[in-house]
């Protein structure tokens, strides 16, 4: 069985290496052929060179003895000339190798990315529901996988070809020079290749394991930082840090193993020394008894050892091929996948004129990803042409599913959906979707301009049409007020616009299609009253004369529909106009009554960065830093901004190493072994030089004794190199791992003490901080573990070599040292240039990846609007930048590789010519020429390797600066997690009663200092009473809650708790007496129990269950299969909104807080969940100081007092009935809401 499966695998791999080049056209094939010729030429060159080297050595070695002086110099000059010619030839082939592969890789990869995105967007919606294609997998494919393929084509393939050629030609040439020697040496190839391969495999396994651990650690941090305010308000910093450090402990062990493996892998190259011992011994035997010449023996040995080492370098490249072919087959599987419902399909009937009558006939439907739960059964509904029908019902009853089915996102399992009497499966899909306009709850905008977004509806629309659509959608006014009007870029997923603005653009996008059928899925659910009125008016205009299907939770929005159908359990239970259904007094009437009790005022969105308003809720991150011109201006931020601009204390490595002090023993051992290993290389070169001169000895006895000595040295070198490498790499890995852990923990501890405003700045978003934590710590590790050890090693190697060379033959050594920088420079530029250009290329690709991700994220809208081509055009445009970078890259790659190889040969020609001159003049012996040459040539490579690290060191210094900028920053509001426990700043009160008073408070968000959110705001909440804050979006309600938690400090005025200024209180103690339930509850991945325990880490199981009972959550938790151990999934995806909210309330209850803050805790729920959550909240509020932000009047009707906030001040304050009698601003709100 195994053999057949292995064969299948092998076939797949064989197929897949070629599969990478699936999109190669004629030009690419030509480029690939030329590149291959180049790589093969490059590989053969070194061995061709050896033909002349062997002549040259012979003439040098026997030079003076045969008294052919005139001839001697001629021979040397002839060989030197050949060297130069070979050098020029190599320049050409190496240029071909570099340029052609680089060029073709970039062309093919851009094609693959385009095809991949096109294929993904063509898939049916069900494909995205199933877990088989997550957004992250698609992002990975389009960025990581494609750049992997590119790297393989541009770098790995030519390298592989070159190394393989060196290997094959090496064996061939060594047989040509001396077949006996080649035969004897052949078995030793195993020593050159196997150890490296084994350790390479093991290293790969280890690094995979450790990256898994690190990604777990990053997930913890990512979740914590993206909801930093929740962490702060529940003082949960410690638990985050503890979980993080536990995972880091595991990685240390893996890191040490990596060090050992690496030491053995690098050390095993020392086995080539042992092979030289064999070659020297047997070679001398051949010279004495078989009449071979020293030059030929040396040449045979060198070409053999080089060939073996090249094989060792070529084999690891194979794993990249398999990786790339796996990546490619992943991508091509997606490209080849045939969509079950292909949105670009042009087959099918097109109706002459469409009236727009829609009918569902006995429809049964289950989602493909959840085949066992039936969503619709026996669903019958007829919508007359031009009429408006509303679907209402509890969440999860199948309303939105009906809308998805009309657009044929899915096919029904049984029954049929007809339009104008024709079943939709037989209609042409593209045409059908072109006749429908969709406005959904998630507006799904793209990060381009407003005009582009509207034109998604109609690709060839004129500007007049765009403006007309915007006018109908009530959007024209606010668009013209924006700085660039219709050309304004709206940020990723529309982040720079408020909810109402996004929704109106989405409506304009639907209207510009001039659809026959209009589908509204919860189009106004997430808006506050004012925006809602505007959007509702826009919709009322859009509906005229169109067949419309509306899904809504708020029944007030559907009162005027021609027909209202109540959906429950997947079929229609009631049907009729509003008044008929009210008279019936059944399900619909009950829903209406429920909602009247819960009638809403003003559904404030989190974060409404209106160009006019300045609100930002405490729960959401600030969405609009960019729209405000003055980001820095408050006195608090000035010093900080200066600090950001001026480089922090110049990044000192000494300071970084001081963090590493506890590991000083390992450091010393590591450095000593690195110095020792550095001197191994020059000693080896010296020995080889000596060995060659020994081949030209006069007598056999002399030759034998000298060769024996050298063989012994070779064997010692071999053992020493393995041991030293082990010591060196193990010790440096030990240092690096411990340092990384220390830095990661310190940075996280420090970040968790910063004030909330710091996280509002764009460069401190959770994603950025996460990647900083992982990348910077990893960079530091490679600085310490790899770079420092390499630097020490190369410095020692170079010093030893120079000294040896100068001692042996100083004139020749000087000449060589002078020309050395040339070759070093070529190697260096080649390495550094390639890495910087690759970096630029990746950056340039980032923009196009962003577009692809947005398109996938919004794929329903893309599918519904049939705008795949439009997305692809934008994507292609974004790929222009990478194309430019790639052109530069291929030229530089070619020139860099070519000049490096060519110049090396030419320099060698010079070296030998000078050496010959000196031998001729009798200044030095031939042996000295060999020794000096080998010593210095071997170090050139070493220096170049070390030099190529300077770019890493430069990167390293910026990283160190950035690490210390975090570690040195002082928080403006001392966090509740102090590094030193004893300096807890602030006082603790004996007992906190919870009286809150705010006096004449002025406040502006630090990121928008010249916009006051609160002006002279005064409010008092007596201990144990409840106060509601109402007012329209952006008046500062949520800001008050953020201030009470001291996420920010007031600019003017005071905020006192129990008469003590909040700034004097110990913040950890203070926050422990508080609990927050916000609009978007943050649920962490982990079990439900862990999420509730988040409120109080040391709570008992009994407390958890009691808290869940009080929050009305115990029933639904117990009904889940794993009960309290149910995993919530990333950000709580596996549980519904109402359930999340109740878990969040349980988390607040378990804290038993003195002060309870409710920010819009029920706004996002449907009527039934809301009733449950509201009951839980009412129980929670008893005898606690409570501040409630709400829009639904009913939720605050029974509070002790209500404050009406407008433009940052309290306009009116009193109980519900008092304010109603006043007939002021509050009264108007009540009126607005009851209509």
């Amino acid at each position: 069985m195994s053999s057949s499966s292995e064969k299948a695998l092998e076939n797949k791999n064989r197929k897949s290496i070629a599969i990478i080049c699936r999109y190669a056209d004629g030009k690419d094939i030509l480029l690939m052929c030329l590149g291959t010729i180049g790589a093969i030429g490059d590989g053969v060159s070194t061995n061709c060179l050896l033909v002349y080297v062997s002549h040259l050595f012979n003439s040098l070695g026997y030079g003076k003895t045969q008294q052919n002086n005139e001839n001697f110099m001629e021979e040397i000059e002839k060989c030197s000339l050949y060297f130069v010619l070979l050098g020029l030839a190599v320049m050409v082939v190496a240029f071909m190798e570099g340029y052609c592969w680089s060029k073709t890789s970039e062309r093919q990869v851009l094609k693959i990315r385009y095809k991949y995105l096109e294929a993904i967007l063509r898939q049916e919606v069900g494909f995205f529901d199933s877990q088989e294609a997550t957004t992250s997998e698609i992002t990975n494919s389009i960025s990581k996988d494609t750049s992997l393929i590119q790297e393989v084509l541009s770098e790995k393939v030519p390298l592989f070809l070159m190394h393989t050629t060196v290997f094959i030609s090496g064996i061939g040439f060594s047989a040509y020079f001396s077949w006996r020697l080649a035969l004897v040496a052949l078995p030793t190839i195993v020593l050159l290749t196997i150890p490296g391969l084994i350790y390479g495999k093991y290293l790969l396994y280890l690094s995979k394991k450790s990256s898994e651990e690190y990604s777990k650690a990053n997930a913890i941090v990512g979740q914590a930082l993206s909801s930093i305010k929740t962490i702060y308000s529940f003082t949960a910093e410690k638990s985050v840090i503890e979980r993080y450090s536990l995972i880091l402990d595991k990685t240390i062990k893996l890191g040490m193993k990596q060090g050992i493996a690496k030491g053995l892998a690098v050390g095993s190259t020392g086995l080539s020394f042992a092979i030289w011992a064999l070659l020297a011994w047997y070679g001398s035997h051949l010279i004495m008894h078989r009449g071979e010449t020293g030059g030929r023996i040396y040449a045979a040995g060198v070409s053999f050892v080089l060939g073996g080492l090249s094989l060792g370098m070529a084999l690891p490249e194979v794993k990249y091929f398999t990786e790339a072919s796996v990546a490619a087959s992943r991508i091509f599987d997606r490209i080849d996948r045939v969509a079950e419902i292909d949105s670009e399909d042009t087959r099918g009937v097109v109706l002459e004129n469409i009236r727009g009558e829609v009918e569902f006939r006995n429809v049964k439907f289950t989602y493909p990803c959840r085949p066992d739960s039936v969503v619709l059964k026996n669903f019958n509904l007829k919508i007359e042409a031009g009429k408006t029908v509303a679907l209402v019902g509890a969440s999860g009853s199948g309303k939105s599913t009906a809308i998805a089915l009309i657009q044929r996102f899915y096919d029904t399992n049984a029954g049929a959906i007809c339009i104008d009497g024709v079943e939709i499966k037989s209609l042409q899909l593209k045409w059908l979707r072109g006749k429908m306009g969709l406005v959904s709850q998630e507006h799904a905008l793209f990060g381009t301009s407003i005009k582009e977004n509207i034109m998604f509806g109609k690709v060839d629309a004129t500007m007049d049409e765009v403006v007309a659509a915007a006018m109908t959608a009530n959007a024209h006014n606010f668009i013209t007020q924006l700085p660039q009007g219709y050309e304004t870029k709206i940020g990723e997923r529309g982040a720079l616009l408020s909810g109402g603005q996004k929704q109106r653009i989405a409506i304009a996008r639907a209207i510009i299609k001039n659809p026959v059928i209009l589908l509204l899925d919860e189009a106004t659910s997430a808006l506050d009253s004012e925006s809602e009125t505007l959007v509702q008016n826009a919709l009322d205009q859009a509906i005229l004369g169109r067949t419309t299907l509306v899904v809504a939770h708020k029944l007030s929005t559907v009162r005027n529909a021609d027909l209202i159908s109540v959906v429950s359990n997947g079929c229609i239970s009631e049907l009729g106009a509003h008044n008929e259904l009210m008279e019936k007094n059944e399900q619909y009437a009950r829903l209406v009554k429920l909602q009247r009790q819960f009638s809403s005022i003003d559904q404030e969105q989190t974060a409404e960065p209106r160009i006019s308003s300045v609100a930002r809720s405490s729960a959401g991150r600030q969405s609009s830093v960019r729209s405000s011109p003055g980001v820095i201006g408050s006195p608090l931020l000035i010093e900080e901004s200066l600090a950001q601009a001026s480089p922090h204390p110049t990044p000192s490595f000494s300071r970084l190493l001081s963090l590493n002090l506890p590991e000083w023993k390992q450091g010393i051992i590591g450095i000593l072994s690195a110095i020792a290993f550095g001197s191994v290389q020059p000693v080896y070169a010296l020995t080889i030089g000596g060995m060659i001169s020994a081949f030209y000895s006069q007598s056999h006895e002399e030759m034998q004794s000298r060769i024996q000595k050298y063989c012994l040295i070779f064997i010692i070198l071999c053992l020493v190199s393995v041991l030293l490498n082990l010591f060196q790499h193990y010790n440096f890995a030990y240092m690096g791992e411990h340092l990384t852990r220390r830095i990661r923990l310190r940075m996280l501890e420090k970040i968790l003490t910063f004030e909330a405003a710091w996280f509002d700045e764009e460069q401190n978003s959770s994603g950025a901080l996460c990647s900083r934590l992982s990348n910077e710590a990893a960079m530091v590790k490679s600085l310490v573990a790899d770079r420092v050890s390499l630097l020490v090693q190369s410095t020692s190697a170079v010093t030893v070599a120079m000294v040896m060379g100068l001692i042996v033959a100083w004139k020749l050594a000087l000449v060589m040292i002078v020309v050395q920088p040339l070759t070093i420079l070529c190697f260096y530029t080649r390495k550094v240039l390639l890495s910087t250009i690759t970096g630029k290329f990746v950056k340039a690709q980032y923009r196009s990846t962003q577009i692809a991700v947005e398109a996938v994220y919004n794929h329903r809208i893309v599918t519904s609007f049939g705008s795949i081509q439009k997305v692809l055009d934008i994507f292609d445009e974004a790929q222009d930048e990478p194309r430019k970078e790639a052109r530069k890259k291929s030229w530089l790659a070619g020139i860099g590789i070519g000049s490096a190889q060519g110049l090396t040969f030419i320099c060698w020609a010079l070296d030998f010519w000078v050496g010959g001159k000196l031998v001729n003049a009798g200044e030095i012996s031939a042996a000295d020429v060999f020794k000096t040459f080998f010593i210095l040539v071997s170090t050139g490579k070493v220096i170049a390797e070390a030099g190529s690290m300077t770019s890493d060191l430069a990167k390293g210094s910026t990283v160190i600066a950035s690490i210390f900028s975090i570690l040195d920053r002082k928080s403006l509001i001392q966090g509740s997690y102090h590094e030193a426990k004893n300096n807890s700043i602030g006082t603790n009160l004996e007992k906190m009663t919870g009286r809150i008073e705010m006096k004449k408070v002025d406040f502006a968000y630090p990121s928008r200092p010249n916009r006051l959110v609160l002006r002279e705001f005064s409010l008092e909440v007596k201990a144990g009473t409840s106060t509601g804050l109402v007012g329209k979006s952006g008046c500062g309600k949520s800001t008050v809650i953020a201030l009470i938690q001291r996420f920010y400090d007031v600019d003017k005025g005071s905020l006192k708790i129990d008469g003590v200024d909040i700034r004097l209180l110990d913040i950890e103690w203070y926050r422990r007496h508080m609990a927050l339930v916000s609009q978007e509850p943050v649920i962490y991945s982990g079990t439900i129990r862990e999420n509730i325990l988040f409120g109080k880490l040391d709570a008992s199981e009994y407390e958890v269950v009691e808290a869940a009972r009080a929050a009305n959550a115990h029933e639904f938790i117990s009904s889940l299969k794993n009960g309290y151990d149910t995993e919530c999934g990333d950000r709580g995806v596996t549980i519904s909104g109402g359930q999340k909210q109740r878990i969040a309330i349980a988390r607040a209850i378990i804290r038993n807080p003195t002060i309870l803050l409710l920010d819009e805790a029920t706004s996002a729920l449907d009527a039934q969940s809301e009733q449950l959550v509201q009951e839980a909240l009412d129980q929670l509020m008893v005898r606690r100081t409570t501040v409630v932000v709400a829009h639904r009047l009913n939720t605050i009707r029974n509070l002790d007092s209500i404050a009406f906030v407008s433009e940052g001040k309290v306009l009116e304050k009193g109980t519900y009935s008092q304010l109603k009698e006043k007939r002021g601003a509050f009264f108007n709100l009540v009126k607005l809401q009851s209509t």
Side-chain angles (χ1 to χ4, degrees), residues 230-489:
T230 310
I231 298 275
Y232 280 178
S233 71
F234 283 98
T235 53
E237 298 93 336
K238 219 190 262 123
S239 72
V240 173
I241 289 171
E242 278 163 11
R243 281 169 66 194
Y244 191 57
S245 72
L246 273 179
I247 291 183
L248 292 185
D249 290 344
K250 287 186 194 154
T251 58
I252 286 192
K253 292 190 191 89
L254 289 168
M256 316 281 246
K257 283 184 188 160
Q258 256 172 321
I260 294 177
K262 197 166 166 192
L264 287 174
V266 178
S268 64
T269 53
L271 292 172
S272 63
F273 300 155
I275 294 171
W276 270 115
L278 172 73
L279 294 176
W281 171 76
Y282 187 64
S284 66
H285 184 78
L286 289 175
I287 292 171
M288 292 190 285
H289 306 300
R290 300 277 182 200
E292 305 253 6
T293 59
R296 293 186 77 93
I297 290 284
Y298 165 72
V302 166
S303 58
F304 175 79
V305 170
L306 272 181
L309 286 174
S310 294
L311 180 67
M313 290 166 89
L315 290 175
E317 305 286 345
V318 174
K319 79 159 191 284
Y320 289 107
F321 293 159
T322 48
E323 271 178 27
S325 53
V326 168
S329 57
R330 247 204 311 259
I331 288 180
F332 295 141
D333 286 349
R334 293 283 181 246
I335 293 182
D336 298 335
R337 182 180 188 276
V338 178
E340 288 165 35
I341 306 173
D342 185 355
S343 52
E344 297 290 297
D345 197 355
T346 48
R347 291 179 311 218
V349 188
V350 174
L351 304 178
E352 291 277 305
N353 58 350
I354 171 172
R355 300 197 315 286
E357 174 187 296
V358 181
E359 187 177 1
F360 288 81
R361 298 182 187 157
N362 290 328
V363 170
K364 173 178 181 244
F365 175 72
T366 59
Y367 280 106
C369 56
R370 292 188 302 240
D372 38 357
S373 56
V374 180
V375 187
L376 298 179
K377 50 177 189 288
N378 278 338
F379 188 86
N380 284 301
L381 176 65
K382 185 168 184 190
I383 306 171
E384 304 279 341
K387 292 274 193 278
T388 300
V389 173
L391 298 178
V392 299
S395 57
S397 59
K399 308 185 293 294
S400 300
T401 309
I403 283 196
L405 288 174
I406 293 184
Q407 298 180 77
R408 207 171 156 218
F409 284 168
Y410 307 96
D411 280 335
T412 56
N413 301 15
I417 298 174
C418 302
I419 288 189
D420 290 1
V422 184
E423 194 176 334
I424 58 172
K425 285 184 193 173
S426 60
L427 294 171
Q428 183 191 319
L429 193 54
K430 192 150 186 173
W431 169 83
L432 173 70
R433 285 185 184 151
K435 295 292 176 201
M436 297 180 177
L438 168 71
V439 182
S440 73
Q441 199 167 356
E442 302 198 343
H443 357 80
L445 300 181
F446 288 84
T448 58
S449 64
I450 292 183
K451 178 175 146 204
E452 291 267 330
N453 266 300
I454 296 180
M455 285 172 68
F456 265 92
K458 185 178 178 189
V459 181
D460 50 359
T462 60
M463 196 57 212
D464 293 344
E465 289 179 279
V466 172
V467 174
M471 282 177 152
T472 316
N474 255 334
H476 181 68
N477 291 345
F478 88 79
I479 297 176
T480 43
Q481 284 166 6
L482 295 174
Q484 284 102 20
Y486 281 88
E487 295 303 328
T488 308
K489 292 263 189 290

Side-chain angles (χ1 to χ4, degrees), residues 50 145 230 370 392 420 489 509 527 558 677 707 795 810 817 836 989 1137:
L50 286 171
D145 288 356
T230 310
R370 292 188 302 240
V392 299
D420 290 1
K489 292 263 189 290
R509 176 176 63 190
L527 307 176
V558 297
F677 183 64
I707 290 292
T795 322
W810 64 271
I817 290 171
T836 50
L989 306 176

